[in-house]
Amino acid sequence: MRLLIVEDDEMLRDGLSVGLRLAGFTTDAVATCADADAALESGGFDGMVLDLMLPDGSGLDVLGRLRARGSRLPVLLLTARDRSPDRVTGLDAGADDYLGKPFDLPELAARLRAILRRGEGRAAGLMEWNGLSLDLSRMEGRIAGRELRFSRREFTILQALMERPGTILGKPALEERLYGWQEDVESNTVEVHVHNLRAKLGASFIETVRGVGYRLAGAP
């Protein structure tokens, strides 16, 4: 899942980026309302962590403009303004969740997973397909009684395919899920990780649709 982090404190912004990547997210980060608006216009994000007090305005204004465009992007407000009236205002403005600073990173990651899966219409933290059960919080899987561990990028590709099992995902779409703005895209990364996934799940678990991309075998 690719997240946009909007936070003006450089140390916290960097810490969030690293911590959430370790939790399985792909992250991009900006420090101002203007940069947040520009990033959101470009699209490609699955969710946003949004501070309220930014150098050029309020995160609530960013949220308001996002919702005015009809976007349903899941948004978690992460702010030092943690009084009850602040939380009410943020949630009524269209936020999906609200967490005060200081915060616990595993709790933040869990809250993000919760609002993201609700956005997809799923209540459980597990995804299942053709005998594979994928635990989104542990980044692990189980198939035919075997426990499977995945690298972050293997897990990201597998999760993307399992979110839309009937959809063929091309290499550019998968690369967008794997890489943030500051990361260099390696030309054969997708092919390497799909190869590794087939070694763990079985050669036929992921189909190659020649010239188009990849999808899960047995998908409608």
Side-chain angles (χ1 to χ4, degrees), residues 12 17-18 21 29 70 95 98 109 113 117 124 132 154 156 171 176 180-182 210 218-219:
L12 179 55
S17 296
V18 172
R21 279 202 294 271
Y98 198 111
R113 286 191 293 269
R117 67 174 178 258
L132 172 66
E154 289 170 3
T156 297
K171 185 176 174 180
E176 188 171 75
W181 296 327
Q182 306 302 320
R210 189 176 298 276

Side-chain angles (χ1 to χ4, degrees), residues 13 20 29-30 63 65 72 84 89 99 104-105 128 160 170 194:
R13 185 171 67 247
L20 290 175
V30 297
L63 179 59
R65 288 189 286 272
R72 301 177 65 180
S84 177
T89 298
L99 185 61
D104 180 62
L105 186 60
E128 296 184 343
V194 168

Side-chain angles (χ1 to χ4, degrees), residues 24-117:
F25 298 96
T26 298
T27 60
D28 290 303
V30 297
T32 66
C33 293
D35 286 345
D37 288 335
L40 292 168
E41 287 284 354
S42 71
F45 295 101
D46 300 297
M48 176 166 61
V49 178
L50 177 63
D51 189 14
L52 288 185
M53 295 178 288
L54 298 168
D56 57 344
S58 169
L60 288 179
D61 295 331
V62 175
L63 179 59
R65 288 189 286 272
L66 181 72
R67 295 303 186 227
R69 294 196 295 274
S71 173
R72 301 177 65 180
L73 185 78
V75 176
L76 184 148
L77 294 179
L78 183 65
T79 174
R81 292 181 177 173
D82 194 30
R83 298 177 307 135
S84 177
D86 297 322
R87 295 194 295 272
V88 170
T89 298
L91 292 168
D92 282 346
D96 299 274
D97 200 357
Y98 198 111
L99 185 61
K101 301 174 183 175
F103 60 94
D104 180 62
L105 186 60
E107 180 184 355
L108 171 62
R111 286 174 178 260
L112 286 168
R113 286 191 293 269
I115 64 173
L116 290 169
R117 67 174 178 258

